[in-house]
Amino acid sequence: MTTTKTTLLAENEVEAQKLANNYKFGFKKWKSHVTQRPLEDRSAIVKELYSDLNVIKQYSGSLFTFGNLLYVLLFGWWVAMLYLIIAILMFVTVVGIPHGKLCCSLAGYYFWPFGKVIQKNLNDSTGSFQPYLYPRKSSVRFHGEDIPEATAVETTNLLGVTERIGDASLHTTSAEIKYWHRPSTYLWFLLGYLPLVLVHGLASFIAWILVITIPVAKLNGRAIAVVLLIPPEQLQIRQPKRVKNISSNTEVPLDGEVVLCCYHAMNFYYYKYTVVGINVFAVNLLPLVIVALVLGYGDTENRYASSHVKFALSVIAIVPLSHYIGMAIASISAQSNFAVGAVVNATFGSITELTFYITALIKGSHKGNKCYEEVVKSALTGTLLGCVLFIPGISMVIGGCKHQEQRFNSRSAGVSSALLFISVGGVFAPTLFAKAYGSLICQGCTNSTQNGSGPFECSDCHFSGLQNALFHSHVQPLIYTVSILLPASYVIGLVFALKTHNHIYDIHISDRHLSGHSHNVVIHWSRWRAVVLLVVATVFMSACAELVSEHINPLLSNSAISSYFLGVTVLAMVPELPEIVNGIQFALQNNISLSLEVGSSIAVQVCMLQIPILVLFSVIYPVGFNLLFSDLHLWASIFSVILMNYIFMDGKCDYFQGTALVVVYLIIMSMYFFAPSQSGC
């Protein structure tokens, strides 16, 4: 019998372990690297993202681009205006005239910095200050010309650039030492540097939040850290001649150290930018966590923000925390053995969802409100539906637009499919059992709006013929039995897929790259750092989940949106946004197998781990949670699993099949949107 062979290429052993874990059942599928990739092995586009804006390029295109013009409207004019105000102030002080001239020059630079170069004169002499723009010749040439300043200049053809080597901190001259003993220096720091730090800091923050304008953030950050700290007589701002032909002997001004040089204000590839292995979007969302916690726990009387705002902030704050938890789990698993990785994934893989579910159930138990239990059941069902329909579907659609047909190992996918059948059957078995002995009857259904456009509210929903004694003597023991069998099936699935039948994955790690980088592996998060961040992110997640459950009640009682719809959409899918992104990225790389496994593994964990844990928690801390789901939850889940298994049968997919899954998902969500809510929900 033949199997689909999967060969993985990895830069080092840790990355190879992470890639292998992606193909293992029960492990979180993680796209981002857990180790630092060597910059020299990456594309020119990625190298450009991580440049320090101190490189003179051979650039021949037009600088009058939309992004550069937008920079002038968003940043350039008001930064330049402040420089002119500071310049006038420094001229008035007389002793600050050199800094006043510098501000005048920098005002023109920051109004339109593109193609201009700020250089630091490395000479010891304190000659006259020349801050104005002018072309200057140099003996440094491209492509093998004689370079007299061989110790100060390095030429590279990787990007067609010539750059300075060395750091400004290494060139401390006597002029710099004297500079820090002048009274005018401290006057400059008081009247000029501090206001400019605030302005550049604000511009840098705004540009960083916008992501695609990160070059502007670097431009302003470098002004704070380098440019404004250099003596004014050592700074020169020049505009080198344009390079029209790369092969020509065009001369560029390189008689000083290049401090700042920028050509573009925007780069749409910055969505790939990472900080210590974390995507820039997850980094930018971190302040929302602090804002949500401060408003949620500091403004208890809703003076500064309403419950709706606090609810929205708390839900959004869960997204970056989910990303950090995923990164921590992937880092620990990649640096640990199989047993540790399996335990970490089983315990913390569902921590995001469980923290909300448990806090919501506790809150509903304290308030005596059954709506919280219904919201939790809706969120569980919504996660299941999203993982078996939306995540695979949207991955197939986006991946299918790039690749005409994508194939995957249908046998390995069948492990998750079989477990999904078992888990869904087990989870909804008590509901089917209860329906066999009684029907769910809702009485007193009314519409709260005059025109009948709002949701229906039912005052009494119960199973006819299902008495309290019958529930405790028959249904409840069945719930406990199922809650024991489901985790046991999960363990059996782990043993089958990872131990006795691991050959169905047929994973091979290529050693082509291992020898080249194994000696200098830089891990983003060490094992202990990942553990600490995992604990911290989990604590913050619990705090945000508490706020979500606290401020959801006004949304349920005053909103026209059904509680079912709120649970199956917002509360179910927002925490899964990092997983959706991972699935799409795998599909774009023609690895649809992992895209499908992303959804399947989460769905299996929902049924086989999360729901049994909630039942166990209800036994220890009675919150009234049971496995009696509504008919809509029951049939929507069963139909979705059957449809997903049908897609998995032939081991290939395209965008049409993905569209079918997404359309079915949207139809089911429409059913939830128009579904009537229970009384008080």
Side-chain angles (χ1 to χ4, degrees), residues 36 77 79 94 117 152 170 209 227 269 331 343 360 393 410 422 471 543 587 598 609 624 631 660:
Q36 182 176 327
W77 69 270
V79 174
V94 180
V117 179
L170 301 178
I209 293 297
V227 175
Y269 285 98
S331 298
V343 170
S410 58
I422 296 173
F471 173 81
V598 166
L609 291 181
D631 287 357

Side-chain angles (χ1 to χ4, degrees), residues 649-671:
M649 287 177 58
D650 57 356
K652 58 183 179 180
C653 62
D654 48 45
Y655 75 89
F656 178 76
Q657 292 176 320
T659 303
L661 292 177
V662 173
V663 169
V664 170
Y665 175 79
L666 295 177
I667 292 174
I668 295 177
M669 292 302 104
S670 300
M671 295 169 59

Side-chain angles (χ1 to χ4, degrees), residues 484-539:
I484 295 174
L485 293 176
L486 288 178
S489 301
Y490 185 82
V491 174
I492 295 173
L494 285 175
V495 175
F496 174 83
L498 304 178
K499 201 70 176 176
T500 62
H501 289 68
N502 56 3
H503 61 274
I504 64 177
Y505 295 98
D506 199 12
I507 302 172
H508 298 273
I509 306 296
S510 173
D511 59 354
R512 188 175 66 182
H513 298 293
L514 294 181
S515 59
H517 301 286
S518 59
H519 62 283
N520 58 351
V521 177
V522 179
I523 302 175
H524 289 307
W525 293 6
S526 65
R527 187 183 292 116
W528 285 110
R529 182 181 183 182
V531 170
V532 171
L533 291 176
L534 178 60
V535 173
V536 172
T538 302
V539 172

Side-chain angles (χ1 to χ4, degrees), residues 337-355:
N337 56 32
F338 159 75
V340 173
V343 170
V344 170
N345 278 270
T347 53
F348 288 93
S350 302
I351 197 69
T352 301
E353 298 84 355
L354 286 175
T355 50

Side-chain angles (χ1 to χ4, degrees), residues 146-222:
D146 294 333
I147 305 177
E149 305 93 344
T151 59
V153 180
E154 178 182 359
T155 302
T156 174
N157 292 324
L158 289 177
L159 285 175
V161 300
T162 303
E163 63 179 314
R164 285 281 162 187
I165 60 174
D167 196 333
S169 61
L170 301 178
H171 303 286
T172 303
T173 64
S174 60
E176 290 177 322
I177 297 175
K178 294 178 181 179
Y179 173 71
W180 294 103
H181 291 85
R182 302 177 194 167
S184 60
T185 301
Y186 298 97
L187 183 65
W188 156 250
F189 267 79
L190 181 63
L191 300 180
Y193 182 76
L194 293 181
L196 289 173
V197 165
L198 295 177
V199 170
H200 282 298
L202 177 62
S204 181
F205 175 78
I206 296 174
W208 183 274
I209 293 297
L210 295 177
V211 177
I212 62 174
T213 56
I214 286 181
V216 178
K218 293 182 179 180
L219 191 72
N220 287 272
R222 200 158 179 83

